[in-house]
C-alpha cells in the first residue's frame, strides 16, 4: 500500500507489525513528523516493510496509483478553513475540508481507505467516489470532540457556516469521523454509502 500523511506512523506501524505480508510506502510533508515516524517505525522493528518519505504524496509519480499498487490509506488533512493560515497549515483540507480525499479518489487506486469527517462535506466526497466507480465496502465510525485545530475560532466559525449551508454535520463541540473502504474491486460485494452518510449524521 501507499499512505498519504503518515504523521508519527504509530497508527499504521502496528498494522504492519501484525500483518507480515504487508508493505507500506508512506509520505508526509512535515519534516518533524517524518523524523518521528522513522523513530517509531524503528522502535517497532518494521523498517524493512514500512518506509516514510518527506514530500507531497501527489508529487511522487510512482505513488499515484497504477497497476502495481492497488491500495492507498490515509487519515488526510480535513480541517476546513477559508485559507491555509491556520494553527497547523499541514492539516488544512481546503475550503470544504475534503480536497485531499477528493484528489485521492481521482488518482486511480482500486481501493481507497480514508477517514471522512462529518463537517468536511462528506456528501460531495461520497458522490465523487460513486462517480469514480467506487462503492463503500464498509466503514468504522466514531464520535470525536473538537480538538485543538477544530477549536481554533476561525475554523470553528467556518465549520458553523459549512453546516448551515448543508455541507456536513457538527455539534457544538463534537463531530463524527468514519474510516471507510472505497473499492472498485468486484469481488468485494455491497455498498454501504447510505449507511455511511447516516453514521455521519446526514
Ligand atoms: C490528520 S494527519 C494524520 C497523521 C497520521 N496518519 C494519523 O492518523 O495519526 C494528516 C497528515 O498528512 C500530512 N500531509 C498533509 N498534506 C500532505 C500531502 N500532500 N502529502 C503527504 N502528507 C501530507 C500532514 O503533515 C499530517 O501529518
Amino acid at each position: 500500500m501507499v499512505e498519504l500523511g503518515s504523521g508519527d506512523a504509530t497508527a499504521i506501524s502496528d498494522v504492519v507489525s501484525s500483518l507480515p505480508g504487508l508493505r507500506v510506502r508512506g509520505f508526509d510533508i512535515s519534516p518533524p513528523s517524518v523524523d518521528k515516524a522513522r523513530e517509531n517505525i524503528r522502535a517497532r522493528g518494521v523498517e524493512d516493510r514500512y518506509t516514510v518519505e518527506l514530500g507531497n504524496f501527489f508529487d511522487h509519480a510512482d505513488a499515484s496509483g497504477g497497476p502495481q499498487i492497488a491500495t492507498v490509506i490515509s487519515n488526510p488533512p480535513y480541517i476546513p478553513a477559508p485559507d491555509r493560515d491556520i494553527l497547523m497549515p499541514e492539516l488544512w483540507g481546503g475550503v470544504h475540508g475534503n480536497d485531499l480525499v477528493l484528489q485521492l479518489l481521482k488518482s486511480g487506486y482500486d481501493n481507497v481507505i480514508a477517514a471522512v469527517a462529518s463537517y468536511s462535506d462528506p456528501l460531495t466526497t461520497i458522490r465523487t467516489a460513486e462517480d469514480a466507480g467506487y462503492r463503500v465496502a464498509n466503514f468504522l465510525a466514531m464520535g470525536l470532540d473538537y480538538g485543538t485545530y477544530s477549536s481554533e475560532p476561525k475554523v470553528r466559525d467556518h465549520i458553523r457556516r459549512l453546516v448551515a449551508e448543508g455541507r456536513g454535520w457538527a455539534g457544538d463541540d463534537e463531530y463524527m469521523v468514519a474510516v471507510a473502504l472505497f473499492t472498485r474491486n468486484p469481488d468485494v460485494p455491497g455498498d454501504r454509502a447510505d449507511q455511511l452518510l447516516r453514521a455521519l449524521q446526514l
Side-chain angles (χ1 to χ4, degrees):
M1 305 194 310
V2 285
E3 180 186 27
L4 186 161
S6 305
D8 69 7
T10 48
I12 299 303
S13 48
D14 286 341
V15 178
V16 174
S17 176
S18 61
L19 292 173
L22 181 62
R23 288 181 179 277
V24 180
R25 184 178 180 199
F27 296 87
D28 204 292
I29 52 170
S30 156
S33 292
V34 171
D35 289 346
K36 195 77 199 146
R38 289 176 177 161
E39 204 179 290
N40 285 329
I41 287 169
R42 268 196 307 275
R44 284 163 176 77
V46 289
E47 63 270 33
D48 54 332
R49 293 184 293 115
Y50 187 12
T51 56
V52 176
E53 294 160 58
L54 178 64
N56 181 345
F57 177 86
F58 297 105
D59 287 345
H60 292 266
D62 52 348
S64 66
Q68 57 295 46
I69 298 172
T71 303
V72 61
I73 189 162
S74 185
N75 174 14
Y78 59 69
I79 298 286
D83 54 58
R84 203 169 188 272
D85 184 15
I86 56 174
L87 281 176
M88 192 173 283
E90 299 94 304
L91 298 184
W92 187 48
V95 174
H96 299 136
N98 57 356
D99 279 5
L100 283 97
V101 70
L102 294 182
Q103 202 174 342
L104 278 181
L105 289 166
K106 293 172 184 168
S107 293
Y109 296 95
D110 283 342
N111 306 298
V112 177
I113 303 168
V116 179
S118 62
Y119 58 50
S120 303
D121 198 4
L123 188 57
T124 299
T125 301
I126 290 164
R127 296 296 172 242
T128 300
E130 278 171 4
D131 291 347
Y134 291 98
R135 289 168 292 101
V136 176
N138 219 329
F139 62 89
L140 277 174
M142 67 202 102
L144 292 179
D145 294 333
Y146 274 24
T148 311
Y149 306 110
S150 339
S151 299
E152 184 181 354
K154 172 177 176 174
V155 172
R156 186 185 278 271
D157 290 348
H158 188 71
I159 291 172
R160 258 193 220 111
R161 279 195 295 275
L162 293 178
V163 169
E165 283 169 15
R167 287 187 180 272
W169 177 83
D172 284 343
D173 209 20
E174 58 178 348
Y175 65 110
M176 301 289 299
V177 168
V179 178
L181 166 58
F182 298 94
T183 189
R184 293 168 160 170
N185 182 345
D187 297 334
V188 180
D191 188 357
R192 297 182 188 272
D194 289 340
Q195 285 177 12
L196 174 57
L197 285 170
R198 283 199 294 278
L200 295 173
Q201 308 275 21
L202 297 171

